[in-house]
Amino acid sequence: RGSDISKVPPYRRVGLGIALVPEGRRVFADLTVRENLIMGSYMRRDNAQVSKDMAFVYELFPVLNDRKRQPAGTLSGGEQQMLAIGRALMSKPSLLILDEPSLGVAPLIVKEVFRTISRLKEEGLTILLVEQNARMALSVASRGYVIETGKIVLSAGVEELRGNPNVKKAYLGG
């Protein structure tokens, strides 16, 4: 929204509409799935809408509804990734940042997670995706950035990136 947030403490960024799904998921292992989702809505006061948003998360990831009373630490890696995404969505973000959502997740679950990312994008949520799986990232992105040693070395629309011979060779296996 045009504001520099580099000096805004991380705990205040949620109030600005920014939610992060961190690399490695970082769910609250001893809390249940439902309690983890509630933690995602801790800054909200609109209880009726929070309930609707929880139902939406359960619609996105039906396995979470099936396991809502189960401790999060007993879920598979893919289920924990779904829970981490669901928890972030419970804050009702305008910007969702996903850091390596495919890391340590079974290929079948990766496809499900990326279908969900695509759906959220189609519903108008702004998403910043940090992902090493370039093929999957480009399947849901509008624009891409190639970063090498901490510097952006290429920035372009998805089609241009897919057609770039250097990108093909280095990231797409072609």
Side-chain angles (χ1 to χ4, degrees):
R1 295 184 187 139
S3 298
D4 179 0
I5 62 165
S6 62
K7 292 182 176 48
V8 175
Y11 68 91
R12 294 221 171 146
R13 293 177 188 175
V14 174
L16 298 175
I18 302 170
L20 170 67
V21 178
E23 179 181 332
R25 300 172 284 277
R26 297 189 190 149
V27 298
F28 298 103
D30 294 333
L31 298 181
T32 66
V33 166
R34 184 178 183 284
E35 290 166 336
N36 267 270
L37 293 174
I38 290 169
M39 290 298 290
S41 67
Y42 75 95
M43 290 190 66
R44 296 177 60 187
R45 302 292 172 254
D46 53 339
N47 292 338
Q49 188 60 45
V50 166
S51 294
K52 288 180 182 176
D53 291 339
M54 189 170 299
F56 176 69
V57 169
Y58 288 148
E59 176 201 329
L60 284 175
F61 303 115
V63 69
L64 296 182
N65 190 35
D66 296 342
R67 300 173 194 261
K68 64 182 154 198
R69 291 183 181 84
Q70 187 172 325
T74 65
L75 299 175
S76 72
E79 291 165 342
Q80 286 184 16
Q81 187 64 53
M82 292 175 199
L83 179 56
I85 293 169
R87 184 182 60 203
L89 291 173
M90 291 300 295
S91 71
K92 202 68 172 175
S94 53
L95 170 63
L96 179 64
I97 303 171
L98 296 153
D99 189 1
E100 298 290 351
S102 71
L103 184 69
V105 177
L108 191 62
I109 303 299
V110 169
K111 288 180 183 178
E112 186 174 344
V113 166
F114 274 83
R115 274 194 300 272
T116 300
I117 292 168
S118 183
R119 176 178 173 183
L120 293 170
K121 176 188 164 195
E122 288 169 11
E123 292 185 10
L125 182 59
T126 300
I127 299 171
L128 175 61
L129 174 64
V130 179
E131 178 61 59
Q132 288 188 33
N133 183 335
R135 191 172 305 285
M136 291 301 292
L138 291 175
S139 76
V140 297
S142 303
R143 183 161 194 78
Y145 300 85
V146 177
I147 300 173
E148 292 177 2
T149 61
K151 292 188 171 38
I152 297 174
V153 295
L154 181 61
S155 168
V158 170
E159 292 308 317
E160 185 178 335
L161 288 173
R162 281 190 188 125
N164 182 302
N166 294 328
V167 171
K168 281 182 182 180
K169 183 179 177 186
Y171 302 105
L172 303 176

